[in-house]
């Protein structure tokens, strides 16, 4: 026994050792095993001990990597229910038709991907046959995030199921004729089939996490029981390099989202070559997910490997599998048995002896064909383990071969992602391998035929019976008939019409106040989903904390530091606010889940996501496209908007361009309201259009983007003239004339039209006074609430004209008869107002805040960019001078007077 006096505790160990002698005995045992049986045996015992401790719930750091073998031993695998032979035939037909579809389309040069589904077929088929719930039971079912490049296989299954026909398959990637299939999962293009757009890599996994989280949010708030819904995200191992793919792993673990499963198709290849050529992507992902708190299931090797592992009495085979880099495993896929004997088995005497027990055919079967992701039994075991695991999300790392069953020309070749077709001979080889009843004579003029066993065949009946048992077809998107939401009480909106009197109010504050009123509505209040990325206090939203609560699945397990304050920080399991921390991407994923709940769950929700305008579109514009593709509805609010309104913040905070980016998204209705009553009118119309009774021809599947400002300004009363509400919604109305503003211009005074949006209208109003009082010029001021909607309307008018229909753009109607030139100004780059220039009949000029932002006072910033009132005056005089309506010297005089 070790002398306790000889024990020297580590100087780095801050934990007191209550029994140094026992510790020494454990250490001595480890030393003895290492000396007698070698370090590999010692490492094995340590791993098993740690696994035992973890299973017993002993608090220890997690073991981040396990051996490069299946997590579920063969003996523990459950049998696959159903008819495995039948499922094999169904999968064979789907493999064939997926490849045929892409090959037949190659003559049009439209592209397509064959190899991805070939590797992942069993990952999908096992789910469709046994796990993925349809929407015919509770209207929600499971949510499936399909890997974009695998879409041909999903179409092939829908064809076998009778949901698609040959004409549609032949129109894969040819949609213009109206009967085609989109290249990837695009709900906007095929809204009855696809639920989630996923091909912009990284957004699928991020959205899947927040969808699973939103499912819990709906349940915890008592809106819908989503316990039966499971979220499945199918990903590529190369896709996991996208930062968005792993950005929210900790959130999923922290909130114990055991309603979520990632299935990562580890075929070890990305678009150009190996994912981790000199390393092991499976081991890397395992460590990453386990470290984040996920349950990890590795499904690497098929049943052909069982014999090899049984022969591995020394552990040499497992050690060698851990050593071989991914690119070499890929190489084994393409080399003969002699090469594999030499390279894989030849370096270790124990492996040399093991290899002597294996035939060449056995070696080739293992290294060429047998992967866990290619066997229904292995995949079924992994899926069942995932859905039965409680307390954490699960990731399944399934090893496959990219291009499996497509022949030697495809399997594991670096170029297979770009290979778009098989030759007739390759199809015949594939037919023989899959044992399909396709005759040589079926290849007419070298065209590969589609295969179908018949609508009443045993295969199709089996497929449909399995789907019926699971709740209907999948994937499927359903918009359940629901009554339009009732309009909130008019009082909530009308209260802004009278203005703020002598009080200065920022439009950000006006929007927050409006929301506070709307969430109190008895009919629709609970449907609002406020989303904010840890800037609620910046936007004055802290008053919502105690009344609505911040969502947390654990409630509030602590006493808040501000518990004695009226607006204390309140978290609740049924909290309504999603305060996401510092993540615009996560907040957008929240918004997407909430904005599409009307289809996903048949529950209409009204999300508004408020953010620093500079950090919205600029950071997450890709997700805005995803939102539009997914047909989301709701309000995006770019707060602290504009390039000059943020005193002292500077370049990276000064938004001068978000409306430009928003204008590129066809689903975005972008508004830059100047006054509180405009904010109320736009929100009111948005609620009507997206959630109420949309007008004939109006697309409900849009979302609104409002820019609001943090600058407290006087909020005037709504003008009591006809057409204001229409103008606010359509994008332009006359706020006042020189005369209605109380200005008495000289007789026959030159006149100009000043168009301002957002905070810029205040500078225009000041310029209106200066032009009249100091230069004898009459100016009318217009509020341009939406340059983007004016442009959209004008483009539609142009398109109508090409069809032979006479239609005048609204901007031209509104300005008809307005005297003088037009000068437009905004707190954004000139490109924003210039969107409508070609449709304005009057002489046009504009001012804007082009270039980089800078830190200074508002006044100094506006003078720097030339958009303040004095700059407007000089620009207006210059326009009038060109027309000969004021003296040319007036421009120089004004410039000198104002120090420009």
């Amino acid at each position: 026994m070790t002398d306790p006096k000889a024990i020297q505790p580590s100087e780095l160990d801050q934990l007191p050792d209550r029994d140094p002698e026992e510790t020494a005995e454990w250490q001595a045992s480890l030393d003895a095993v290492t000396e007698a049986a070698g370090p590999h045996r010692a490492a094995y015992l340590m791993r098993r001990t740690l696994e035992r401790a973890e299973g017993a719930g002993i608090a220890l750091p997690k073991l981040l990597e396990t051996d490069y073998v299946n997590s579920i031993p063969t003996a523990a695998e459950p049998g696959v229910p159903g008819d495995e032979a039948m499922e094999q035939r169904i999968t064979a037909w789907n493999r064939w038709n997926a490849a045929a579809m892409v090959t037949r389309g190659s003559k049009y040069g439209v592209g397509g991907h064959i190899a991805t589904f070939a590797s992942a077929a069993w990952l999908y088929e096992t789910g469709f046959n046994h796990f993925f719930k349809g929407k015919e039971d509770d209207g929600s079912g499971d949510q499936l995030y399909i890997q974009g490049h695998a879409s041909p296989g999903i179409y092939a299954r829908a064809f076998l199921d009778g949901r698609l026909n040959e004409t549609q398959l032949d129109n894969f990637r040819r949609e213009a004729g109206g009967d085609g299939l989109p290249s990837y999962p695009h709900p906007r293009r095929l809204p009855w089939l696809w639920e989630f757009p996923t091909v912009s890599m990284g957004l699928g996994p991020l959205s899947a996490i927040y969808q699973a989280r939103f499912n819990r949010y709906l349940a915890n708030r008592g809106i819908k029981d989503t316990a039966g819904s499971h979220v499945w995200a199918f990903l590529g191992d190369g896709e996991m390099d996208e930062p968005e793919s792993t950005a929210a792993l900790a959130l999923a673990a922290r909130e114990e989202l055991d309603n979520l499963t990632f299935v990562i198709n580890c075929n070890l290849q990305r678009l150009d070559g190996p994912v981790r050529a000199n390393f092991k992507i499976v081991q890397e992902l395992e460590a990453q997910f386990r470290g984040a708190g996920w349950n990890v299931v590795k499904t690497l090797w098929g049943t052909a490997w069982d014999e090899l592992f049984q022969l591995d009495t020394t552990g040499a085979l497992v050690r060698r599998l851990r050593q071989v880099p991914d690119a070499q495993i890929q190489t084994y896929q393409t080399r003969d048995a002699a090469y594999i004997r030499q390279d894989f088995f030849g370096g270790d005497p124990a492996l040399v002896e093991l290899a002597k027990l294996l035939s060449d055919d056995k070696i080739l079967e293992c290294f060429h064909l047998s992967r866990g992701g290619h066997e229904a039994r292995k995949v079924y075991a992994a899926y069942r383990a995932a859905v039965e695991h409680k307390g954490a999300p699960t990731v399944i790392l399934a090893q496959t071969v990219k291009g499996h069953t497509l022949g030697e020309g495809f399997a594991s070749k670096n170029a297979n992602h770009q290979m778009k077709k098989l030759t007739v001979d390759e199809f015949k080889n594939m037919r023989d391998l899959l044992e399909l009843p396709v005759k040589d004579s079926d290849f007419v003029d070298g065209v590969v035929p589609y295969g179908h066993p018949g609508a009443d065949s045993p295969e199709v009946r089996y497929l449909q019976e399995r789907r019926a048992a699971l709740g209907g077809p999948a994937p499927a998107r359903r918009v359940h008939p629901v009554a339009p939401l009732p309009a909130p009480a008019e009082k909530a909106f009308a209260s802004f019409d009278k203005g703020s009197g002598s009080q200065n109010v920022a439009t950000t504050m006006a929007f927050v106040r409006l929301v506070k009123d709307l969430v109190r509505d008895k009919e629709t209040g609970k449907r609002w989903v406020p989303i904010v990325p840890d800037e609620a206090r910046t936007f004055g939203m802290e008053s919502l904390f105690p009344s609505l609560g911040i969502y947390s699945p654990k409630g509030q397990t602590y006493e808040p530091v501000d518990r004695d304050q009226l607006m204390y920080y309140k978290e609740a399991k049924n909290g309504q606010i999603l305060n996401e921390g510092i993540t615009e991407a996560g907040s957008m994923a929240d918004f997407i889940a909430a904005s599409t709940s009307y289809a996903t769950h048949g529950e209409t929700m009204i999300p508004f996501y408020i953010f620093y305008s500079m950090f919205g579109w600029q950071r997450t514009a890709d997700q805005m496209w995803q939102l539009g593709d997914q047909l989301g509805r709701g309000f995006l609010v770019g707060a602290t908007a504009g390039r000059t309104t943020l005193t002292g913040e500077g370049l990276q905070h000064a938004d001068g361009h978000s409306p430009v980016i928003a204008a590129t998204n066809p689903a975005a209705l972008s508004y830059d309201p100047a006054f509180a009553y405009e904010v109320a009118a736009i929100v009111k119309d948005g609620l009507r259009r997206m959630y109420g009774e949309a007008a004939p021809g109006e697309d409900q599947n849009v979302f609104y983007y409002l820019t609001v400002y943090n600058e407290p300004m006087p909020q005037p009363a709504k003008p009591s003239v006809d057409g204001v509400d229409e103008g606010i919604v359509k994008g332009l109305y006359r706020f006042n004339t020189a005369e209605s503003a109380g200005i008495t211009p000289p007789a026959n005074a030159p006149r100009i039209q000043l168009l301002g949006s957002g905070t810029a209208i205040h500078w225009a109003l000041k310029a209106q006074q200066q032009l009249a009082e100091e230069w004898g010029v009459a100016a009318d001021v217009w509020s341009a609430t939406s340059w983007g909607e004016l442009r959209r309307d004008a483009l539609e008018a142009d398109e109508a004209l090409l069809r032979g229909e006479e239609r005048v753009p609204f901007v031209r109607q509104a300005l008809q008869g307005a005297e003088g030139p037009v000068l437009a100004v905004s707190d954004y780059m000139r490109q924003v107002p210039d969107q409508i220039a070609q449709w304005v009949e009057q002489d046009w000029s504009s001012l804007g805040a082009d270039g980089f932002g800078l830190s200074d006072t508002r006044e100094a910033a506006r003078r720097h960019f030339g958009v303040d009132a004095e700059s407007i005056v000089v620009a207006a005089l210059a326009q009038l001078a060109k027309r000969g309506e004021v003296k040319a010297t007036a421009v120089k005089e004004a410039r000198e007077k104002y120090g420009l």
Side-chain angles (χ1 to χ4, degrees), residues 544-854:
L544 298 178
F545 289 169
S547 58
L548 301 185
I550 300 166
Y551 173 73
S552 171
K554 293 187 179 296
Q556 192 152 35
T557 61
Y558 61 92
E559 187 176 22
V561 67
D562 53 359
R563 61 195 177 278
D564 297 328
Q565 298 180 16
L566 181 63
M567 294 183 288
Y568 71 98
Y569 197 80
K570 176 187 174 183
E571 296 189 77
K573 190 172 182 178
N574 64 346
Q576 195 163 348
I577 301 170
L578 292 172
N579 192 325
E580 286 307 339
I582 306 174
T583 168
E584 285 81 10
S587 299
M588 265 307 301
D590 260 337
F591 185 87
I592 291 170
S595 70
T596 54
S597 180
Y598 72 93
T600 309
H601 293 293
E603 292 288 346
T604 302
M605 305 301 288
I606 311 172
F608 81 86
Y609 164 34
I610 188 168
F611 50 87
Y612 241 120
S613 66
M614 184 66 164
F615 305 143
W617 284 87
Q618 176 164 297
R619 288 195 179 181
T620 59
D622 194 12
Q623 288 177 287
M624 311 297 191
W625 273 96
Q626 181 188 10
L627 167 65
D629 191 348
Q630 202 167 317
L631 293 84
R633 306 169 184 173
F635 296 96
L636 297 175
V637 183
T640 58
R643 182 148 279 165
T644 70
T645 62
L646 292 170
T647 53
E649 287 287 9
L651 185 151
Q652 290 189 349
H653 284 66
D655 172 20
H657 54 278
S658 69
V660 176
I661 310 175
T664 66
N665 192 311
L669 278 61
S670 177
Y671 286 89
D672 187 25
F675 305 124
Y677 67 80
E678 293 178 351
V679 173
I682 293 164
V683 172
K684 177 183 177 181
D685 188 70
L687 290 172
R688 175 201 62 79
R689 176 169 178 174
M690 294 185 291
Y691 303 104
E693 297 286 356
E698 274 188 324
D699 184 4
Q700 283 191 284
N701 298 317
V702 296
F703 59 93
Y704 282 61
Y705 175 51
L706 282 73
T707 48
V708 293
Y709 297 83
N710 71 327
E711 184 176 11
M713 298 295 286
Q715 296 298 327
K718 183 178 177 180
S720 55
V721 295
D722 293 339
V724 172
D725 287 328
E726 179 189 26
I728 291 172
V729 172
K730 289 190 172 181
L732 183 68
Y733 69 96
R734 183 154 43 195
F735 176 72
N736 68 18
T737 63
E739 292 75 11
S740 66
I743 299 168
T744 306
N748 301 317
R751 188 173 289 268
I752 190 169
Q753 308 299 317
L754 302 180
L755 276 59
S757 70
T759 192
I761 203 169
H762 297 284
W763 325 327
L765 289 169
K766 181 180 177 182
Q768 181 187 47
Q769 293 286 336
Q770 291 175 315
L771 282 166
E773 295 170 2
E774 301 173 26
W775 305 99
V777 172
D780 301 336
V781 176
W782 300 70
S783 180
T785 54
S786 179
W787 310 103
E789 286 309 289
L790 292 173
R791 178 178 176 81
R792 192 193 306 267
D793 172 79
L795 289 172
E796 290 172 357
D798 286 354
E799 292 171 4
L801 187 62
L802 291 175
R803 297 191 300 268
E805 304 171 17
E806 289 293 335
R807 181 176 155 191
V808 180
F810 178 78
V811 63
R812 190 169 295 168
Q813 295 178 45
L815 291 171
Q816 187 174 12
E819 298 177 35
V822 167
L823 173 60
V825 60
S826 81
D827 204 19
Y828 295 93
M829 55 196 301
R830 288 177 60 183
Q831 185 176 341
V832 175
D834 284 349
Q835 293 179 82
I836 66 169
Q838 71 187 83
W839 293 283
V840 174
E841 294 180 314
Q842 292 87 344
D843 292 339
W844 173 274
S845 64
S846 63
L847 297 175
D850 287 76
F852 290 110
L854 76 165

Side-chain angles (χ1 to χ4, degrees), residues 148-279:
H149 292 135
S151 63
I154 309 305
Y155 290 139
R157 192 171 217 275
F159 170 65
L160 203 67
D161 194 13
R163 295 201 288 163
L164 293 174
N165 57 44
E166 285 195 18
T167 300
Q168 290 171 300
L169 295 193
D170 266 347
N171 285 331
F172 173 58
R173 291 193 168 204
R174 294 193 299 140
E175 300 178 77
D179 198 24
L181 300 178
S183 52
Y184 302 122
H186 289 305
R188 186 168 285 274
R189 291 302 184 200
L190 201 62
W192 60 268
L193 179 73
W194 297 121
E195 231 182 338
F196 307 106
T198 55
V199 82
S200 189
M201 292 191 178
L203 300 190
L206 179 69
S207 292
I209 290 173
Y210 281 89
Q211 181 66 58
R213 194 280 194 92
F214 190 74
N215 290 357
R216 292 280 173 85
Y217 171 89
L218 288 177
N220 286 333
R221 288 196 56 213
I223 292 173
K224 183 167 187 179
D225 181 1
T226 58
S229 289
H230 198 89
V231 178
W232 300 82
F234 289 84
L235 319 168
D237 46 1
E239 182 178 2
M240 301 310 294
D241 283 346
E242 288 284 4
E244 294 89 350
S245 295
T246 55
L249 298 187
L251 167 70
R254 183 169 66 243
E255 298 202 2
E256 300 178 355
L257 298 180
D258 50 24
N259 60 338
L260 170 67
T261 297
F262 276 16
V263 181
I264 303 181
N265 179 16
C266 297
N267 56 35
L268 313 184
Q269 289 182 246
R270 50 190 177 198
L271 275 61
D272 289 332
V275 179
R276 292 289 183 273
N278 298 295
F279 307 92

Side-chain angles (χ1 to χ4, degrees), residues 31-42:
D31 292 341
V33 171
T34 304
E35 183 177 349
H40 298 302
R41 176 62 180 168

Side-chain angles (χ1 to χ4, degrees), residues 247-495:
L249 298 187
L251 167 70
R254 183 169 66 243
E255 298 202 2
E256 300 178 355
L257 298 180
D258 50 24
N259 60 338
L260 170 67
T261 297
F262 276 16
V263 181
I264 303 181
N265 179 16
C266 297
N267 56 35
L268 313 184
Q269 289 182 246
R270 50 190 177 198
L271 275 61
D272 289 332
V275 179
R276 292 289 183 273
N278 298 295
F279 307 92
K280 301 187 80 62
I281 185 62
V282 169
Q283 299 301 91
E284 179 181 319
L285 291 174
E286 178 184 30
Q288 193 169 14
F289 278 87
R290 287 175 69 89
W294 286 54
N295 175 46
V296 178
V297 177
K298 293 198 289 192
T299 303
L300 308 180
W301 308 110
T303 53
W305 282 83
D306 290 348
E307 180 183 344
L308 274 68
F309 289 127
Q310 289 173 0
L311 294 172
D312 181 29
T313 58
T314 65
L317 176 62
V318 174
R319 290 196 300 273
R320 180 65 177 139
L321 288 172
R322 285 177 62 89
Q323 295 166 357
V324 179
D326 284 353
Q328 192 63 19
I329 289 180
Q330 181 185 353
T331 296
Y332 294 148
Q333 178 70 32
T334 63
R335 301 301 292 269
D336 59 20
Y339 177 87
I340 298 171
R341 284 184 187 276
Q342 176 61 38
D343 191 85
F344 182 83
F345 293 97
D348 186 311
L351 290 180
V352 170
E353 292 302 312
L354 189 154
K356 290 178 181 179
L357 304 174
L358 305 175
S359 66
D360 285 355
D361 287 345
K362 182 66 175 179
I363 289 176
L364 293 179
E365 181 187 12
C366 289
F367 284 85
H368 284 194
L369 301 174
S370 188
R371 299 291 189 275
H374 294 323
E375 296 187 13
R377 180 186 180 92
K378 303 291 185 183
V379 176
Y380 180 87
Y383 285 8
R384 193 164 124 180
V387 297
E388 291 179 353
H389 186 82
K390 301 303 177 186
T394 293
V395 59
I396 295 168
L397 304 174
Q399 185 164 267
T400 65
V401 174
K402 193 166 186 176
H404 183 61
T405 73
L406 297 180
E408 294 181 0
F410 268 82
S412 280
K413 295 297 177 66
N414 279 337
N416 63 17
H417 192 80
Q418 305 303 330
M419 296 162 71
K420 310 299 182 188
K421 59 184 178 180
L422 295 173
T423 66
V424 169
D425 286 341
E426 287 171 329
F427 266 109
K428 290 178 179 179
N429 291 333
M430 182 182 178
R431 169 200 63 189
D432 296 340
L433 176 65
L434 298 176
E435 300 179 345
L436 290 172
V438 178
K439 300 187 293 291
D440 286 356
S441 59
D442 293 335
F443 292 82
V444 179
D445 297 328
V447 177
V448 57
Y450 292 121
H452 199 292
D456 197 40
S457 64
E459 290 89 344
V460 173
R461 288 202 306 271
Y462 181 88
L463 182 155
Q464 294 176 341
E465 288 168 1
R466 291 305 310 141
R467 290 311 316 158
L470 288 165
R477 181 181 181 273
R478 301 279 179 85
V479 179
H480 307 275
V482 292
L485 292 183
E490 180 64 25
K491 180 181 178 182
F493 305 104
S495 64

